[in-house]
């Protein structure tokens, strides 16, 4: 009887050990440890982690220290930090002038009333012939290029705000959610790549009739790094004169582009010229993406990323303008996602090597225009063509009733089948409705480089972009379950015999 009892006890112990191992295999994240990361990142000590602030630098060091402790390789040479510049403390100088010519007749317009430089504009002269480059977008992932039929080298480029078909749910572009291509910094970079001497932006008035012809407000707060050329906004009503000299109408040209998604770029007649002087004083500030690498057996890898910046004291982009000056902790947005990246790095660093590696990335500058992820895809520390997929974790800390939003299943040939195989093992209710991976978060930057993406998100809530987004509101157990699913997805991507092939939005591919 005693031997039987001992045998039963040994069997029970073995069963319990197996159960604990299985639970660990599918639940890699400890909810308590996950929450401790958030408590620090969303603490008053870090004052909302505004891009360009000393507190954001401290958050970067915190993340880098975790990667170092787990034994991840520094992906940026000998360092975990990938630097890039943003603009802070911008000030509009006293020497801002703008004049335009049609058939030799000169018309001068006023700063702040008729034109305004962007806070990240370079200072200097801007004069020469003018070309129209539609929305200023080159997007091979959508088979769209405003620059394909024009020579912008040495010219002043006139571009439209936003992007085409922005209110069309069936558009290959965002369809009610802007892509990375709509960002001012992205438009500036593209113009510079095409050799532009200067950039003029006008409102896309035809698709925004109710918003008038308003100029952007000159912001002294943080923004993208210096554009490299003068970059100003001019009222569309002034550009109407230039289009008239070319025998065209601005609104009609925009409507034609939006109707069939075919660029209508052209060079203005030689009689149309502009001359301007831009005077912007700003201070560059170095900020950092944080990158840790876990090598695989091959050169291919999967990106697991999240942004770690937030709104600081809420002077910019707060949903509670009256609370400007108060700390916006950003617990869910996005200390929750960064903590997920940290804990997944901890888990995979202790696991056997897989076929593909994992690049763990924490991005700065997401809240002011996807700056960190955009910089990364244009300056990758590992060959971007070796990126099999990108997993983005943004606001994952408020899972309600087990519902998890997973966007992007349609961006890769195997992603939906992979999710269908993995998700049933988890006590969650996935929503795959955003198959194209839209949404204003860092995965959108990877779509521009034709990398398949999956975007994990637990949904919006009343505390979004407000001082009330504190660590106490985080549902750590639900986030841990979400991260268990994400870990299974990452492992499947890293172990699969074939990587997913990118599917262009609007092309035939997996849909649900």
């Amino acid at each position: 009887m005693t031997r039987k009892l001992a045998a039963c006890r040994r069997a029970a112990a073995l069963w319990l050990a197996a159960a604990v191992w299985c639970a660990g295999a599918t639940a890699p994240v400890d909810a308590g440890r996950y929450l401790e990361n958030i408590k620090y990142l969303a603490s008053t000590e870090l004052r909302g982690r505004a891009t360009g602030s000393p507190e954001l630098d401290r958050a970067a060091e915190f993340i880098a220290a975790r990667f170092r402790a787990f034994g991840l390789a520094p992906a940026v040479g000998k360092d975990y930090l990938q630097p890039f510049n943003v603009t802070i403390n911008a000030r509009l100088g006293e020497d801002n002038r703008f004049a335009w010519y049609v058939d030799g007749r000169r018309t001068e317009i006023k700063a702040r009333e008729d034109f305004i430089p962007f806070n990240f504009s370079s200072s200097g002269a801007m004069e020469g012939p003018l070309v129209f480059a539609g929305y200023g977008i080159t997007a091979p992932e959508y088979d769209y290029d405003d620059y394909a039929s024009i020579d912008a080298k040495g010219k002043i480029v006139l571009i439209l705000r936003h992007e085409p078909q922005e209110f069309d749910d069936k558009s290959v572009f965002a369809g009610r959610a802007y892509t990375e291509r709509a960002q001012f910094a992205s438009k500036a970079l593209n113009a510079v790549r095409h050799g532009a001497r200067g950039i003029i932006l006008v409102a896309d008035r035809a698709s925004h009739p109710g918003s008038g012809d308003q100029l952007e407000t000159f912001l002294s707060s943080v923004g993208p790094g210096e554009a490299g050329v003068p970059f100003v906004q001019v009222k569309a009503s002034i550009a109407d004169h230039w289009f008239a000299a070319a025998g065209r109408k601005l609104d009609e040209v925009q409507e034609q582009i939006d109707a069939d998604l075919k660029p209508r770029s052209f060079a203005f007649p030689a009689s149309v010229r502009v001359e301007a002087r831009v005077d912007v004083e700003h201070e560059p500030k170095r900020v950092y993406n944080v990158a840790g690498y876990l090598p695989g057996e091959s050169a291919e890898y999967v990106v697991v990323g999240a942004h770690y910046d937030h709104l600081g004291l809420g002077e910019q982009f707060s949903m509670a303008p009256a609370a400007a000056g108060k700390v916006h902790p950003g617990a869910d947005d996005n200390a929750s996602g960064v903590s997920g990246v940290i804990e997944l790095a901890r888990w995979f660093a202790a696991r056997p090597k897989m076929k593909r590696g994992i690049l763990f990335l924490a991005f700065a500058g997401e809240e002011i225009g996807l700056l960190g992820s955009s910089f990364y895809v244009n300056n990758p520390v590992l060959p971007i063509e070796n990126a099999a997929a990108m997993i983005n974790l943004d606001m994952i800390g408020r899972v309600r009733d087990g519902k998890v939003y997973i966007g992007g299943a349609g961006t890769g040939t195997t992603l939906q089948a992979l999710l269908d195989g993995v998700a049933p093992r988890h006590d969650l209710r996935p929503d795959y409705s955003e198959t194209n991976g839209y949404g204003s978060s860092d995965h959108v930057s990877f779509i521009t480089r034709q990398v398949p993406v999956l975007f994990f998100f637990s949904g919006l809530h009343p505390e979004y972009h407000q001082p009330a987004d504190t660590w106490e509101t985080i549902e750590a157990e639900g986030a841990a379950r979400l991260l268990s699913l994400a870990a299974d997805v990452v492992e499947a991507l890293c172990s699969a015999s074939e990587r997913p092939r990118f599917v262009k939005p609007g092309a035939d591919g997996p849909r649900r």
Side-chain angles (χ1 to χ4, degrees):
M1 187 71 178
T2 302
R3 286 195 297 270
K4 283 185 178 180
L5 180 60
C8 288
R9 285 175 173 170
R10 285 196 300 272
L14 289 171
W15 179 88
L16 179 61
V20 169
W21 186 89
C22 289
T26 57
V29 172
D30 176 85
R33 192 162 52 199
Y34 168 80
L35 189 59
E36 287 302 311
N37 297 328
I38 296 175
K39 287 181 180 180
Y40 175 69
L41 291 168
S43 65
T44 55
E45 181 183 347
L46 289 195
R47 294 172 59 83
R49 309 181 310 279
T51 294
S53 70
E55 291 79 19
L56 187 78
D57 293 345
R58 291 171 63 183
E61 292 291 350
F62 172 82
I63 299 163
R66 293 295 185 272
F67 288 173
R68 187 179 300 111
F70 304 155
L72 301 187
V76 188
K78 297 181 179 180
D79 202 349
Y80 294 89
L81 304 180
Q82 182 190 39
F84 65 97
N85 285 339
V86 296
T87 292
I88 62 173
N89 300 327
R91 188 176 74 85
L92 200 58
E94 297 180 357
D95 189 20
N96 285 285
R97 294 170 277 142
F98 194 106
W100 52 273
Y101 296 81
V102 171
D103 295 328
R105 182 178 177 180
R106 184 178 189 272
T107 304
E108 188 166 350
I109 57 178
K110 294 182 179 180
R112 295 188 184 272
E113 293 182 20
D114 303 308
F115 80 97
I116 192 80
F118 285 91
N119 66 345
F120 63 103
S121 170
S122 296
S123 295
M126 179 174 72
E127 56 182 285
L130 194 65
V131 296
F132 175 65
Y135 286 88
I137 292 173
T138 298
E141 71 275 22
Y142 305 126
D143 288 325
Y144 181 90
D145 185 4
D146 281 312
Y147 287 89
S149 63
I150 58 169
D151 178 12
K153 189 172 183 179
K155 311 292 197 315
I156 311 301
V157 173
L158 176 67
I159 58 176
L160 292 162
R161 190 178 175 182
H162 298 129
E163 58 195 7
Q165 298 183 345
E166 61 181 291
F167 296 116
D168 183 351
D169 290 330
K170 297 180 180 179
S171 174
V172 297
F173 276 88
R176 301 187 185 277
Y178 295 120
T179 75
E180 189 265 349
R181 304 297 189 182
Q183 303 290 343
F184 294 138
S186 179
K187 290 174 182 282
L189 177 62
N190 196 36
V192 170
R193 281 177 174 165
H194 285 89
R197 181 180 297 177
I199 312 164
I200 299 171
L201 180 136
V202 296
D204 46 349
R205 190 176 50 192
S207 53
H208 295 82
S211 61
D213 190 10
Q214 300 299 314
L215 296 176
E216 289 290 312
T217 301
F218 183 86
L219 297 174
S220 60
S221 52
V222 66
E226 188 173 338
V229 297
F231 185 12
V232 304
Q233 182 183 2
V234 171
K235 282 194 170 181
S237 57
I238 291 169
D240 284 337
H241 297 284
W242 311 337
F243 276 79
R248 305 170 191 244
K249 292 183 179 180
L250 172 57
D251 291 351
E252 287 183 359
V253 172
Q254 183 197 337
E255 288 168 349
Q256 289 167 357
I257 299 171
D258 289 356
D260 58 14
L261 210 61
K262 292 182 180 179
R264 300 298 199 284
S265 304
F266 64 91
F268 285 91
S271 60
V272 179
R273 295 178 64 85
V274 300
E275 63 177 25
R277 179 83 189 172
V278 176
D279 181 10
V280 176
E281 300 172 7
H282 42 56
E283 177 185 343
K285 174 67 170 67
R286 181 165 289 185
V287 298
Y288 304 93
N289 293 327
V290 189
Y293 184 48
L294 188 64
E297 296 170 355
S298 70
E300 293 183 344
Y301 61 96
V302 172
V303 177
V304 177
H307 75 91
Y308 70 102
D309 64 298
H310 193 56
L311 307 186
L313 302 184
E315 292 92 343
Q316 199 173 358
F317 307 123
S318 174
M319 297 295 288
K326 294 184 179 179
V327 173
H328 287 53
D332 192 29
D333 186 16
N334 184 36
S336 69
V338 177
S339 183
V341 171
I342 291 171
E343 294 309 314
L344 289 178
R346 184 195 304 272
W347 166 254
F348 281 107
R351 302 276 289 167
K353 181 180 288 190
M354 294 180 287
K355 178 178 179 179
R356 297 180 182 86
I358 308 175
L359 179 63
F360 296 94
L361 279 171
F363 304 108
E366 190 268 357
E367 298 286 6
I368 56 174
L370 313 184
L371 299 188
S373 56
S374 179
F375 181 84
Y376 178 82
V377 299
N378 287 293
N379 303 272
V381 298
L382 297 175
I384 198 72
E385 61 271 17
N386 289 343
M390 190 272 179
I391 308 299
N392 185 28
L393 307 174
D394 195 349
M395 296 180 63
I396 62 169
R398 302 287 290 274
V399 176
R400 293 178 288 275
D401 299 322
K403 189 169 186 178
V404 175
Y405 300 89
I406 306 177
T411 64
T413 52
T414 63
L415 295 182
Q416 189 63 68
L418 184 155
L419 289 165
D420 288 342
V422 168
R425 303 203 295 263
H426 298 267
D427 184 23
L428 293 166
R429 296 189 298 114
D431 182 324
Y432 303 122
S433 55
E434 291 292 341
T435 59
N436 284 326
Y438 297 142
S440 298
S441 189
D442 293 301
H443 58 284
V444 179
S445 297
F446 286 80
I447 291 176
T448 69
R449 298 301 299 272
Q450 302 188 38
V451 176
V453 302
L454 289 174
F455 172 37
F456 286 77
F457 173 57
S458 61
L460 289 173
H461 46 75
E463 293 75 35
Y464 171 70
H465 278 201
Q466 299 206 33
D469 184 12
T470 64
W471 71 264
E472 292 90 347
T473 66
I474 297 298
E475 299 167 6
E477 294 291 343
R481 294 201 308 275
L482 181 154
L483 289 165
S484 295
L485 169 58
D488 274 3
V489 169
V490 172
E491 185 164 1
L493 285 166
C494 288
S495 304
S497 57
E498 294 185 8
R499 59 189 279 183
R501 297 187 307 279
F502 181 74
V503 178
K504 292 183 178 182
D508 291 336
R511 293 290 184 272
R512 171 165 297 190

